[in-house]
Amino acid sequence: MASDPATLRRYSRATRWFHALTYLTVLVLLGTGWWLVAGREGQPSVAARLTGVADTGLHRYAGWVLTALAAGAVTLGVRATRTFVRESLRYDHGDLRWFARWPGALVTGRFARHEGHFDPGQRVANLLMVGLFVALTGSGIGLALVTGGPWFVWLQRVHRWATYLITPVLIGHIVIAAGLPPGYRGVARAMHLGGRLPLRVAERVWPGWLDRHRGVRHDS
């Protein structure tokens, strides 16, 4: 079946599958984590009842899955990881203008131009998520290995506060990536439903990336 000429693929199938496995794992971690933080360890959640595994066990298993996914990203997917890090750390002239226009663009879709694969807001969110995931994963592994004492208390605090901080970042990421704000309508197709993004959405949200895809160069 021929692809729609009014669309283009932003992410490969491997990237889309990795993203799907990651966010499903993270949703299990967040759901069970907040269930336990709320003091409901003795009350099985819906997920625990469906799987027959206690919420503490689900949380631990999901943590190991996330660790394995991260290890795969920096080994098997090293090229994609390098690109992700390079583009997330990118800074261009005009990024501050993009941020200044962003609140209104959430509704109008009239974003200031940027040249990166990710827009400036995505870059900040990427760095926050990666840093907090490292804190969560590292402290989670520590909690699985340490049985008590001051180290256990310290690791538990890091794990809890990283959970508090990453939750609003992830909610914001999900809301925008799902295309719920009017200005981001259509972006969900970049990572889902075959990964084919309408050209009109790419022109509006990721103009620099689109030009690079077409072989057009602009000064940063």
Side-chain angles (χ1 to χ4, degrees), residues 122-170:
Q122 284 179 291
R123 295 175 216 157
V124 172
N126 287 346
L127 296 175
L128 286 173
M129 285 190 286
V130 169
L132 290 169
F133 274 135
V134 168
L136 281 168
T137 304
S139 59
I141 292 173
L143 288 170
L145 299 176
V146 177
T147 56
W151 272 105
F152 185 89
V153 174
W154 184 81
L155 288 167
Q156 192 173 50
R157 287 174 180 168
V158 171
H159 202 71
R160 184 182 293 261
W161 276 102
T163 300
Y164 295 157
L165 293 172
I166 202 169
T167 298
V169 177
L170 287 174

